[in-house]
Structures are given as structure tokens and as C-alpha cells.
Amino acid sequence: MTAIEPGRVVAVVGTGTMGQGIAQVALVAGHPVRLYDAVPGRAEQAATTLAGRLDRLVEKGRLDTVARDAARARLHPARDLAELADAALVVEAVLEELSVKRELFAALEDIVADDCLLATNTSSLSVTAVAGTLRHPGRFVGLHFFNPAPLLPLVEVVSGFATDETAAARAHATALAWGKTPVRCADTPGFIVNRVARPFYAEALRVYEERAAGPATIDAVLRECGGFRMGPFELTDLIGQDVNEAVTRSVWESFFQDPKFTPSLAQRRLVESGRLGRKSGRGWYAYGEDAPEAAAHTAGPEKAPASVTVRGELFAADALPGLIEAAGIGVTRKDDAVPGYPGWIELSDGTRLFLADGSAADDAGMPVIHFDLALDYREATRIALAPAARVAETALKEAIGLFQALGKDVSVIGDLPGLIVARTVAMLVDFALDAAARQVASPEDIDLAMRLGVNYPRGPLDWGDRLGARWVLDTLEALHEEYPTGRYAPSQALRRLAAAQEDDAS
């Protein structure tokens, strides 16, 4: 299927930030663009703003003056929907209310030609529902751009229940021709990114609600240990707490209040208080010239042990013994752990350091300190430790000194099952596996969407392959035992994959 030809008209309805961004993308790609807004004068204002954006592209060397002048000549504000009659594609970016969108597309269906592609940029509503009252829903698709649309490459091309394959393929080809990276997905709550990404926010909020760590510490651990570009608290402040909470609530309600998607009461209270993030001057953090900088909890310097014993295999943390030796600390290796089960790092007094496994350190019935999962233990600059109550203060100081000797800042948090990175990644992997098994999108498109849409350091399915399905399954089963609400119940897709990998290994 070929893309819509550059000479054909693209219309954008709704001239807010997203509508203007989509219009700019189409304009730079060579299309005549018609802008329409129900509020009188808004389309003309948006056209003026877009002209200024084109000037800035010239100043930055991304567009020459000839191309700018040609683009300006192709841009036309429309005062009436009837002026969109010759559009080959109409993209809607209006208020996120089903009735408003349905009314708009019902009107458009009487105006545009039969071969005109109709698209919604909704991020939270059902594409199928928006098209539900149309006479010809087969030509209707979701084209979910990410903000800012001119800069972010990802576009989710969403097929509703009645969408024709030819329409979805044409939309995909058009987004590709516009220089975007489109991914195909089914009409499921949250599509790919907003469905799979829920645990990134939800687990951080859960850690905060259990008072195991504060927002700045949680953000720092996920950035500096987990490798994420931004922490969830600073990211939701940027997105807008009201926007993020509304998406979470929409997905939860669309999945019939499945506990895996349960919203956070702490975030609801933040929204109710008007602390919406950067746009209101305060969210989880304060903003402005005089706002204090939030600091992560970082342990003071401690002396590293002279030597440690590594018992058994550390699996996802197998880089640590080499790093410890490189730091000048003696390492004695013993293979007396149970084969196939996680090993540990042992301090001189017998305290054991285990990679977080979804259980609480106190559950072990012995002096245990859990350390968090890292994207790469060589590159990580911070680690989180969670000690059991019976761990001696001297042993905790040794553990802190051990990781400090490896060049890591150390955050000591409460004895929380799964710590921060481990529980978050395990949930992301499981959500992605479940989405792939339900054919929401291909595994390749899921990983691509999560890397491009929310800048994850690794696609969750790739991450799961590296960790092994058994580690993910064990972590979630332990969390499910700690919190028997269904939130952490492993998906059937994960269980099947773990069994298949064990069969292959045998």
C-alpha cells in the first residue's frame, strides 16, 4: 500500500499543541494543509504560530528559505468544515471526549470524499468506539502521535474493530513517508505505550505509598541504576499529573478495573490539590527560581570489606564478582549454593547479599540485604539496598562500603519486596509479553514503541530475554505472595515462556 501523495490535502481539526505539531509534520512533508478549529479565530492563530515555527527551522538550518516559503503557501486556515472537502486525510486532535469526536466525524463523513482517510489522535479513547456511529468505519484509524509531534518519531497506527486492512496500511505508509517510525497495533486500552508503561508509574507510586523511599530517591534509582532517561515522578510532573492520572484511570476502567492497572490514591490526592507538575509550578517537586532542589537519599562513606565470599551463581548480577575483584577486594568463590537457584555475596559475619527477588529481606529468617537490579552493573552509578531488621549495623555499613568501592552511590530504602528497579522491570516484561500474546502488536513493534515512545533503555521483551523468563516469573510469584491482590499475578504468556525456556535448556 502506498502513502498518500504529497500533493494531496491533509486536514487537521483541532489546533492545540498536538494539532499544530501534526500539521507541521504534514506541511514539511510536502502536503497542502488545512487547519480547522471550532473556536473562531483559532485556526488563523495556529497558522501564524506555524509560520513562526517554520522560521525557526530555517534559523536552525533544518529548512531552507525556498522550502519554508513553499510550506507557508500550502498552509490554509479553514473557517468551515466544508473547506476540508478535498482532503485525502483528516486527522482529529480535539477534546478527549467520545461524544465530541463522534459528532465531528459524523459531520466530516458528509463532507469528504469516499476515499478520504479519517484518523483520530486519541491517546485514551477506543478507536472502535469513536468510529462506532460512522456509515463507513472501515476507513477510520488511530494515528497516535507523541508530543511534541515534530520531534518524537513514534506514531501508533491503531486498527479499530471495523478498520480495513488497506486503510491501516495506507496510514502506516503515510506516517513512514513523513519521516516517522510507525508501529501497528490493535485497538486495546492504552494501545502499546500507554498500556505497557503503566507499571513504570504504578510501581514507583507503590514504593512511595509504602514509605520505602521518597520521590527523589526512587527517581534517582530508576535513572542511575535502571538506566531510564527520567524517573517516574519527574516524568509525570513534565507530562502533567492530571494527564497521567487520567490515562491510568481510563486504562483501568477500560480493563474493567483489573487490579494490574489500579490507579494510585497518592497521585489522585496530588491532582485534587492542584499540584499538577511543571505547568502549575508544583507537583511531586517544586519549580521556579527559588524552588529547593530535591535530593535523593545517599548513604555517607563507609569502609569496604577486605574480602567477600560469592556462593553460587548471581545470574543477572554475574558482573559483580569481577567488579569487586577489580576494586581490590578479595573474592572467594564457592559452589555450595543450590544449583539453579540464585547465589549470594556473603560478608564476613555471614550476612547475605541477594539480588532482589520479589520477597522481603525479613522473609529469609536470617541476616539478608537485598540489592536492586541494574541495567548494567558496570555502568550503573547508584544501587539501592534493603536490609532485613536483623542485619547488624556493622554489616549494613560493610555492604554500603562494598558498593561504594565499585563507584556507586548507595540509597538504603525500606525492606520492600522487589525493591525499585527489579519489581518495575519484572512488571514491564510481563505486560509486554501479555500484549504480544494477545496480538496487540508484534514483539518487534512493542519493543520499538517502548524505546521510542518513552525512551526506555531497552525494549521490555529484549530485557526479559536477557534476564530470563524464570527470573521474571520467580520475582512476580514472590511479589504475588507478598501482595495477594492479583496485581502481580504472572500472565499465562510468561508462564508458558518460562516453561519453554526450561524445556530448551534440558
Side-chain angles (χ1 to χ4, degrees):
M1 178 58 64
T2 58
I4 294 171
E5 298 82 359
R8 299 197 66 186
V9 173
V10 171
V12 178
V13 180
T15 57
T17 301
M18 183 58 77
Q20 290 181 30
I22 295 169
Q24 179 180 329
V25 171
L27 198 61
V28 171
H31 292 274
V33 172
R34 305 266 169 78
L35 289 173
Y36 175 79
D37 198 290
V39 179
R42 285 270 182 89
E44 288 81 3
Q45 292 173 7
T48 301
T49 301
L50 277 172
R53 289 186 181 181
L54 295 174
D55 289 338
R56 286 192 290 277
L57 290 177
V58 171
E59 292 170 2
K60 295 176 181 179
R62 297 176 184 173
L63 199 67
D64 60 42
T65 55
V66 174
R68 177 200 61 193
D69 294 343
R72 279 181 173 176
R74 294 193 303 272
L75 178 61
H76 300 284
R79 295 185 178 181
D80 192 279
L81 276 180
E83 296 179 49
L84 312 185
D86 59 345
L89 167 65
V90 180
V91 183
E92 163 273 316
V94 302
L95 193 65
E96 284 285 270
E97 289 188 9
L98 181 60
S99 60
V100 173
K101 294 180 188 290
R102 278 184 161 182
E103 183 179 349
L104 169 64
F105 283 110
L108 284 168
E109 198 171 34
D110 291 333
I111 294 169
V112 299
D114 290 345
D115 65 346
C116 177
L117 195 63
L118 299 178
T120 175
N121 183 60
T122 185
S123 61
S124 60
L125 298 177
S126 162
V127 171
T128 302
V130 176
T133 58
L134 295 181
R135 296 191 304 274
H136 305 291
R139 61 170 166 174
F140 192 88
V141 299
L143 275 179
H144 181 216
F145 289 77
F146 288 74
N147 195 28
L151 297 180
L152 294 186
L154 185 69
V155 177
E156 292 176 320
V157 180
V158 187
S159 292
F161 187 79
T163 301
D164 292 337
E165 170 58 26
T166 53
R170 191 164 177 79
H172 184 279
T174 300
L176 192 63
W178 290 0
K180 295 301 180 181
T181 304
V183 292
R184 295 281 300 272
C185 64
D187 184 20
T188 184
F191 309 142
I192 301 173
V193 173
N194 280 330
R195 172 181 175 144
V196 176
R198 290 350 291 165
F200 181 68
Y201 312 109
E203 293 312 305
L205 288 161
R206 186 66 176 263
V207 173
Y208 167 78
E209 288 174 336
E210 295 195 23
R211 297 299 188 261
T217 299
I218 297 166
D219 278 352
V221 171
L222 282 162
R223 282 195 319 267
E224 300 166 32
C225 184
F228 292 92
R229 185 76 59 87
M230 295 180 74
F233 293 97
E234 58 186 338
L235 180 55
T236 52
D237 266 2
L238 178 64
I239 294 169
Q241 296 300 330
D242 52 340
V243 174
N244 182 262
E245 201 265 349
V247 172
T248 298
R249 186 169 296 277
S250 173
V251 172
W252 174 63
E253 290 173 349
S254 296
F255 277 116
F256 308 103
Q257 301 185 358
D258 186 329
K260 288 181 178 291
F261 298 94
T262 301
S264 162
L265 180 59
Q267 188 177 36
R268 175 96 291 259
R269 292 290 180 260
L270 197 70
V271 172
E272 290 172 341
S273 72
R275 298 182 179 186
L276 307 182
R278 288 182 177 273
K279 63 185 178 184
S280 68
R282 186 166 186 179
W284 293 111
Y285 303 111
Y287 299 93
E289 292 182 4
D290 299 327
E293 184 175 351
H297 166 74
T298 303
E302 300 292 350
K303 185 178 179 181
S307 63
V308 297
T309 301
V310 176
R311 297 184 180 272
E313 293 185 67
L314 300 185
F315 297 109
D318 61 1
L320 285 176
L323 294 175
I324 293 170
E325 287 180 319
I329 299 169
V331 175
T332 301
R333 299 173 188 262
K334 295 188 177 181
D335 296 326
D336 51 358
V338 179
Y341 283 82
W344 63 89
I345 299 169
E346 193 168 305
L347 303 178
S348 58
D349 72 342
T351 298
R352 299 180 177 186
L353 277 60
F354 283 94
L355 173 63
D357 61 0
S359 65
D362 269 327
D363 291 346
M366 63 182 73
V368 163
I369 300 172
H370 280 146
F371 60 89
D372 214 342
L373 176 71
L375 174 68
D376 184 335
Y377 284 100
R378 299 173 186 82
E379 300 296 327
T381 57
R382 182 178 295 271
I383 199 78
L385 302 181
R390 56 175 52 85
V391 170
E393 184 178 353
T394 53
L396 178 58
K397 288 182 177 180
E398 268 199 8
I400 293 169
L402 174 65
F403 283 98
Q404 288 175 338
L406 308 186
K408 321 297 183 192
D409 287 329
V410 177
S411 294
V412 179
I413 69 171
D415 182 16
L416 185 81
L419 277 77
I420 299 172
V421 180
R423 62 160 51 197
T424 300
V425 170
M427 288 288 278
L428 288 171
V429 172
D430 194 41
F431 271 46
L433 284 169
D434 183 62
R438 295 175 187 272
Q439 298 183 2
V440 170
S442 70
E444 295 77 15
D445 275 359
I446 290 171
D447 270 1
L448 183 62
M450 300 312 293
R451 286 192 294 104
L452 296 183
V454 277
N455 285 316
Y456 283 4
R458 186 172 287 155
L461 295 173
D462 175 44
W463 213 334
D465 286 343
R466 292 168 187 259
L467 292 169
R470 173 49 58 183
W471 180 87
V472 179
L473 179 60
D474 287 347
T475 299
L476 291 180
E477 285 184 330
L479 282 165
H480 181 53
E481 186 173 341
E482 297 280 352
Y483 307 99
T485 62
R487 179 188 182 104
Y488 300 101
S491 68
Q492 287 302 309
L494 174 59
R495 293 185 184 279
R496 287 193 293 269
L497 180 60
Q501 288 181 354
E502 287 171 4
D503 288 344
D504 290 343
S506 62

